[in-house]
Amino acid sequence: MVKAFIATLGRGKGTWGHVARLIQEVQWDQILLIGTEFTKQNFRPARDCAWLLINPRSGFETLKEAIKKAIPEAELYISLISGSGREHTALLSALRELGKDYKLVVLTGDGTKYY
């Protein structure tokens, strides 16, 4: 099965390194980054990534529906280390409405962990 990584990227660059390392250290078949035009212009992942550009001021339903359309058919791994609660909630709601199973992926002192 195809492994897809989905991450939200917030405006604060402090958490971008975590996402960048997950992109670099794990062999993903597909990568979807959810962020603004600012994040796309300033975040430099080591691999090619698809982007869902969002307006963080858009309504929740608009954001959720945009995310639903962008979610790939794959085994899903998500990172919520970056981004806002609004984006996280929209992503989780979209996954739930689509009936998609997923695993959370995080870097720890003991390596990459999946939950």
Side-chain angles (χ1 to χ4, degrees), residues 80-96:
L80 301 176
I81 200 73
S82 187
S84 73
R86 177 188 201 88
E87 294 152 5
H88 299 160
T89 304
L91 173 57
L92 294 174
S93 297
L95 291 167
R96 183 176 197 127

Side-chain angles (χ1 to χ4, degrees), residues 1-2 4 6 30 32 64 67-78 90-104 115:
M1 166 90 48
V2 172
I6 301 173
Q30 297 178 355
L32 173 63
K64 180 187 68 167
I67 292 171
K68 280 171 65 173
K69 292 176 186 171
I71 293 175
E73 283 297 323
E75 185 177 349
L76 301 175
Y77 296 83
I78 64 171
L91 173 57
L92 294 174
S93 297
L95 291 167
R96 183 176 197 127
E97 284 187 9
L98 292 172
K100 298 285 188 179
D101 193 23
Y102 61 89
K103 291 184 181 177
L104 295 172
Y115 300 95

Side-chain angles (χ1 to χ4, degrees), residues 21-94:
R21 282 188 51 211
L22 284 169
I23 289 170
Q24 187 173 15
E25 294 181 12
V26 179
Q27 185 56 44
W28 307 109
D29 298 308
Q30 297 178 355
I31 300 167
L32 173 63
L33 300 177
I34 301 170
T36 64
E37 187 64 43
F38 173 84
T39 55
K40 184 177 181 182
Q41 290 175 357
N42 293 285
F43 181 70
R44 301 284 180 237
R47 298 180 47 209
D48 287 333
C49 300
W51 282 87
L52 172 60
L53 296 180
I54 59 166
N55 176 351
R57 294 185 180 144
S58 63
F60 176 79
E61 289 294 325
T62 302
L63 183 56
K64 180 187 68 167
E65 292 303 316
I67 292 171
K68 280 171 65 173
K69 292 176 186 171
I71 293 175
E73 283 297 323
E75 185 177 349
L76 301 175
Y77 296 83
I78 64 171
S79 171
L80 301 176
I81 200 73
S82 187
S84 73
R86 177 188 201 88
E87 294 152 5
H88 299 160
T89 304
L91 173 57
L92 294 174
S93 297

